[in-house]
Amino acid sequence: MDARFAPEEPPEFASPSEVEEQHPGMGHLGTEAWRVLRIQTEFVDGFGMLADLGRAVSVFGSARTKPGSAEYRTGERVGRALAEAGYAVITGGGPGAMEAANKGARDAGGQSVGVGIKLPFESGLNPYVDRGITFRYFFARKTMFVKYAQGFIVLPGGIGTLDELFEALTLVQTGKVTHFPVVLIGRDYWTGLVDWVRDVVIAQGKASPADLDLIRITDDVDEAVRIIRDADLECSKLEAEARADKAAAEGRAAGGSIAT
Ligand SMILES: C/C(=C\CNc1ncnc2c1ncn2[C@@H]1O[C@H](COP(=O)(O)O)[C@@H](O)[C@H]1O)CO
């Protein structure tokens, strides 16, 4: 077994000889080629499950948020408000803030989606997920959060939440996704991080001031949803304009005339 991985890691990391030892005749499943096929399968399954979702928002936050706590109730309100605004709610499908957002969405009659991750100690998708899928690979799973969402709402969270937040910011900053609002809920929790980015990271030239424009912080759930919806409407407007421009250009190229 590769010494970098904990002994209790899922068999994903087992070598061909280790797989062969445990499952005679199946050693080939431990080769890199089969691993690539499993990764592909995750993308195919994820795209297949989410392609018809409609407009959606990904909600991140701590797996350790306690049911009944103020933060959990905020997560429920976020899920509810998004559902009422017509958005499906996509979470990591786990406990804590993810469960809260799924619960809020389900309670409001909205679409409640869980994109879970297989973990050695994990107990599966939370009971408020209506449409769920579980991934083996974090990087494949993270693609789903971005590809099928019109924005992110981030509740207080730890390392996993920070990873998801900074992935989103990197994609926006580098132009890989556009018009993608990222709203942090909880001024007390997030202000220190944003201050540090401004006073240290930006001050030392490691990011540009405009990068902070990508983030909005609020305590107000309704404002968070409004920010997402306004950006979404603006984006839809720009897309419609681009489509009209393209159709007009194609019409001109074909020698016809299109009324604009
Ligand atoms: C830690 C515990 C359970 C972990 N279960 C998870 N299930 C699904 N998704 C998870 C889990 N843990 C982390 N994530 C992802 O990261 C974000 C939360 O991480 P944080 O470190 O807790 O902030 C979350 O948005 C998920 O996508 C035991 O309860």
Side-chain angles (χ1 to χ4, degrees):
M1 173 75 71
D2 188 324
R4 289 171 301 166
F5 299 111
E8 69 274 16
E9 268 314 319
E12 176 54 26
F13 298 110
S15 67
S17 57
E18 285 161 345
V19 176
E20 185 64 35
E21 198 178 299
Q22 288 167 31
H23 305 282
M26 305 296 277
H28 60 282
L29 296 179
T31 62
E32 296 301 312
W34 275 90
R35 191 157 291 135
V36 170
L37 289 175
R38 283 197 291 277
I39 290 168
Q40 266 188 338
T41 305
E42 296 227 307
F43 281 101
V44 172
D45 287 348
F47 293 168
M49 192 199 70
L50 295 172
D52 67 344
L53 192 59
R55 304 200 88 65
V57 174
S58 289
V59 179
F60 306 124
S62 175
R64 302 169 196 220
T65 299
K66 295 271 178 295
S69 64
E71 276 178 15
Y72 190 96
R73 286 196 297 276
T74 302
E76 284 182 82
R77 293 212 316 276
V78 167
R80 172 174 286 279
L82 286 170
E84 286 170 354
Y87 291 100
V89 172
I90 305 174
T91 76
M98 297 169 267
E99 178 185 295
N102 284 131
K103 180 172 187 306
R106 151 107 51 102
D107 289 350
Q111 292 203 72
S112 173
V113 182
V115 180
I117 183 79
K118 278 195 187 101
L119 297 172
F121 51 86
E122 206 20 51
S123 53
L125 296 168
N126 73 61
Y128 303 103
V129 168
D130 295 322
R131 191 191 289 216
I133 184 168
T134 303
F135 282 75
R136 186 188 287 263
Y137 298 97
F138 267 105
F139 63 88
R141 171 182 184 257
K142 274 199 285 186
T143 302
M144 307 301 145
F145 289 135
V146 181
K147 182 167 170 55
Y148 293 102
Q150 272 64 55
F152 285 172
I153 291 184
V154 190
L155 293 156
I159 305 297
T161 304
L162 293 171
D163 173 47
E164 290 158 348
L165 167 61
F166 281 99
E167 160 113 355
L169 294 178
T170 304
L171 292 173
V172 179
Q173 183 201 46
T174 54
K176 295 288 179 186
V177 295
T178 54
H179 303 285
F180 203 81
V182 178
V183 186
L184 310 182
I185 295 200
R187 280 189 186 282
D188 287 350
Y189 193 82
W190 293 113
T191 299
L193 175 74
V194 174
D195 285 351
W196 177 77
V197 172
R198 187 183 46 244
D199 298 342
V200 178
V201 180
I202 292 175
Q204 294 186 22
K206 304 289 192 296
S208 71
D211 295 335
L212 267 192
D213 297 344
L214 307 174
I215 306 177
R216 302 284 296 272
I217 308 186
T218 181
D219 287 321
D220 181 343
V221 169
D222 293 329
E223 186 190 356
V225 175
R226 216 166 28 245
I227 291 167
I228 301 268
R229 208 193 40 221
D230 289 351
D232 189 17
L233 289 174
E234 177 65 18
C235 183
S236 300
K237 201 175 108 200
L238 292 172
E239 280 171 1
E241 283 169 9
R243 274 195 303 274
D245 287 349
K246 188 165 174 253
E250 282 168 1
R252 278 194 301 274
S257 68
I258 288 186
T260 54

